[in-house]
Amino acid sequence: MTTIYFIRHSKADKDSIFYRFLSPLKQNMKKKLSKDGISIAQNKLNSNFDDVEVIYSSNYTRAYQTSLILSKRLNLKVIKDSKFGERVHGIKKGYNELPKDFEVRQLKEENYKINNGESQKEVRIRMLKALNNILKNNKNKKIAVFTHSTALSFLLLNWCSITEDGIYIFNGNVIFDNKWSYCETFKFEFDDDNKLISIQNIK
């Protein structure tokens, strides 16, 4: 059995003046963990993850910094993979460019996107490709992947249905209420044929 922990990054610092001089995409990629974010990650990346043998991370700074907290404790290197990065909005100047129904439409319409952003389907496909690469190269290991809430929520749609209230259901069971916390974790288990057999939301 192969086990993969998908972990959302910890809390980022949103108030740095430095970010204001960057494009919205670069802002999103470069945001660092706040002091609170470091503390949250240190508390949540506890002994439950001591069995992790391999660590992957999004190339976004806040995800990578979160991964380093676990990697240093376990003395493991972090493998960066841009395919685990956050959904690209497609905005050019600011978040006020996003339509008010943008998030809802992306969940309901898999091909919906604006400008040069990504659709739900595009994010699902790249995340799934990265996941399949991990499964191919890490059979029967325990792996941690540090990523982002929207990208991860879209990945879940490969196997889960979602209700009008945003509740995620896998094999007839509710697995997530769509209320994201920092370092939110999902434990995926795959059999010897790399078939997904369980998803568990670990609080």
Side-chain angles (χ1 to χ4, degrees):
M1 180 181 294
T2 303
T3 301
I4 302 181
Y5 299 98
F6 278 95
I7 306 164
R8 184 196 181 196
H9 62 82
S10 196
K11 186 177 181 180
D13 180 3
K14 299 181 180 180
D15 299 323
S16 175
I17 295 176
F18 170 73
Y19 300 140
R20 300 176 188 174
F21 300 98
L22 301 175
S23 68
L25 177 57
K26 288 294 185 182
Q27 287 181 38
N28 203 14
M29 294 182 71
K30 297 292 184 181
K31 286 179 180 176
K32 299 179 180 180
L33 291 186
S34 64
K35 290 182 180 179
D36 284 344
I38 293 172
S39 178
I40 290 168
Q42 289 173 336
N43 288 331
K44 290 198 172 183
L45 299 174
N46 52 34
S47 58
N48 290 330
F49 300 95
D50 282 352
D51 60 355
V52 166
E53 302 167 85
V54 184
I55 300 176
Y56 286 79
S57 173
S58 154
N59 61 327
Y60 283 50
T61 300
R62 61 190 182 276
Y64 181 63
Q65 287 183 325
T66 307
S67 74
L68 288 177
I69 291 171
L70 182 62
S71 74
K72 289 177 181 177
R73 185 165 65 79
L74 299 181
N75 195 28
L76 296 171
K77 292 183 178 180
V78 177
I79 302 167
K80 283 188 181 181
D81 190 337
S82 61
K83 293 186 186 69
F84 289 120
E86 183 59 296
R87 177 267 323 273
V88 176
H89 288 96
I91 54 180
K92 298 177 180 178
K93 295 182 178 180
Y95 287 93
N96 59 352
E97 297 172 39
L98 290 175
K100 292 182 179 179
D101 62 349
F102 177 76
E103 300 290 348
V104 174
R105 285 191 66 180
Q106 282 224 310
L107 273 177
K108 293 184 176 181
E109 303 172 34
E110 66 173 15
N111 293 307
Y112 173 68
K113 62 181 180 179
I114 61 172
N115 301 323
N116 61 338
E118 291 181 295
S119 67
Q120 176 212 126
K121 184 176 182 180
E122 288 170 332
V123 176
R124 281 198 346 254
I125 289 172
R126 69 166 163 81
M127 290 280 286
L128 189 58
K129 284 182 178 178
L131 168 59
N132 286 334
N133 182 62
I134 287 177
L135 291 170
K136 178 182 178 182
N137 294 308
N138 300 279
K139 197 172 187 66
N140 295 322
K141 291 185 178 180
K142 292 180 173 60
I143 304 109
V145 178
F146 290 84
T147 184
H148 306 264
S149 57
T150 302
L152 182 50
S153 68
F154 288 173
L155 175 66
L156 286 168
L157 292 177
N158 284 292
W159 306 279
C160 299
S161 60
I162 186 170
T163 69
E164 287 294 326
D165 297 328
I167 305 299
Y168 285 76
I169 298 173
F170 176 74
N171 284 349
N173 298 311
V174 173
I175 63 162
F176 185 47
D177 59 7
N178 206 21
K179 295 177 181 178
W180 289 90
S181 61
Y182 293 112
C183 295
E184 190 86 46
T185 300
F186 292 85
K187 182 180 180 181
F188 286 50
E189 292 182 323
F190 297 84
D191 65 17
D192 289 341
D193 295 320
N194 291 339
K195 178 182 178 182
L196 181 63
I197 55 177
S198 71
I199 304 176
Q200 181 183 358
N201 182 210
I202 300 174
K203 295 295 186 182

